[in-house]
Amino acid sequence: MKRYALIDMDGVLYDSMPFHALAWQRMMAEQGIDTDRDEFFLYEGMTGKATVDLIFQRELGRHATDEEALRLYRRKADIFVEMGEKRKMPGAGRMLSVLMERGIGRVLVTGSAQHSLLDRLDMDYPGAFPAGKRVTALDVTHGKPDPEPYLKGLEKAGVKSDEAFVIENAPLGVRAGKAAGLFTIAVTTGPIPREAFEREGADLIFPSMDAFADALPELLERI
Ligand code: CA
């Protein structure tokens, strides 16, 4: 019986990933570095610093300095905000309502430090994530795929690993959830094929948030 859901934000609660990917690509283009927009879906969950460093190592053959990583991640975040308001993921409100109605606790577990979205959570999903039940980039040293964010989430929930489950949309997020010893559900809300989530060992895979919300009441009876 699960008592807590550990819930990712980008690509789960907000349909924000296409904007993140485009913001990364544009920021890198400003640096004279060509990237493929869709590759950033694969890095989803990593810290901004780790993502900058990955591209620098590949394209420039060296690590990014802390100063560069910070400056470029801030620039990417500014571009993301300039793109305007991000819509809620269709089905996410319904998914949270099912959890709340059934007394399943919720902890937000995101690698993001993006205040434009974090500040909107209370308005967009009232009561879903109480104060003290949020793990963000500010709380962790290692981003996903390290298990640290989900282990911190378990701590905040105050339950054991077999009493909680993860809701993720990114392969590296699934890897982090599994590494933390958690039952991990993948919802494929972006362009990444189902096989990538199978490879990471996702326990269940749903093709959309609406499909997951539909299945959730019955699912909670058996996981
Ligand atoms: Ca995500």
Side-chain angles (χ1 to χ4, degrees):
M1 180 66 199
K2 306 298 185 202
R3 295 167 54 204
Y4 257 90
L6 309 184
I7 305 171
D8 175 53
M9 182 171 75
D10 285 289
V12 170
L13 300 177
Y14 291 100
D15 192 10
S16 46
M17 271 314 296
F19 298 96
H20 279 295
L22 197 55
W24 274 111
Q25 188 192 34
R26 284 191 189 161
M27 181 279 284
M28 285 294 174
E30 289 176 355
Q31 307 303 310
I33 298 172
D34 271 343
T35 55
D36 172 24
R37 190 196 61 177
D38 281 358
E39 71 174 291
F40 293 102
F41 284 89
L42 294 172
Y43 312 147
E44 187 186 348
M46 285 167 57
T47 61
K49 182 180 187 323
T51 306
V52 171
D53 197 54
L54 185 151
I55 302 289
F56 264 50
Q57 284 192 65
R58 190 185 70 204
E59 299 296 326
L60 306 177
R62 67 172 178 87
H63 286 286
T65 66
D66 286 352
E67 185 278 325
E68 284 169 328
L70 189 65
R71 180 168 50 82
L72 296 183
Y73 181 55
R74 281 196 181 140
R75 176 64 190 139
K76 177 260 164 182
D78 286 345
I79 296 173
F80 177 81
V81 171
E82 284 162 17
M83 288 170 169
E85 198 161 291
K86 313 305 178 295
R87 70 171 189 155
K88 293 194 280 181
M89 182 62 73
R94 207 152 54 81
M95 176 268 288
L96 290 172
S97 296
V98 172
L99 295 175
M100 289 163 80
E101 278 161 18
R102 294 180 188 234
I104 306 290
R106 288 94 35 214
V107 177
L108 181 81
V109 182
T110 175
S112 178
Q114 191 79 49
H115 285 286
S116 62
L117 290 185
L118 287 165
D119 294 347
R120 273 181 44 192
L121 272 176
D122 284 328
M123 202 170 52
D124 288 337
Y125 300 109
F129 301 100
K133 295 283 192 286
R134 298 177 186 195
V135 178
T136 72
L138 308 174
D139 299 297
V140 295
T141 330
H142 308 289
K144 303 165 189 175
D146 194 279
E148 184 193 15
Y150 281 113
L151 292 174
K152 287 252 159 107
L154 268 182
E155 234 173 74
K156 295 206 184 216
V159 297
K160 297 196 290 280
S161 58
D162 62 355
E163 296 174 306
F165 66 101
V166 166
I167 305 171
E168 263 290 349
N169 72 304
L172 293 184
V174 170
R175 194 186 302 173
K178 292 306 294 177
L182 291 155
F183 190 90
T184 301
I185 297 169
V187 185
T188 62
T189 61
I192 300 173
R194 180 185 170 92
E195 292 69 33
F197 297 91
E198 287 171 356
R199 275 199 297 275
E200 298 295 349
D203 293 285
L204 291 170
I205 304 172
F206 290 90
S208 70
M209 192 54 69
D210 272 319
F212 176 52
D214 288 343
L216 190 55
E218 181 270 332
L219 190 63
L220 288 172
E221 304 292 323
R222 63 180 171 92
I223 63 170

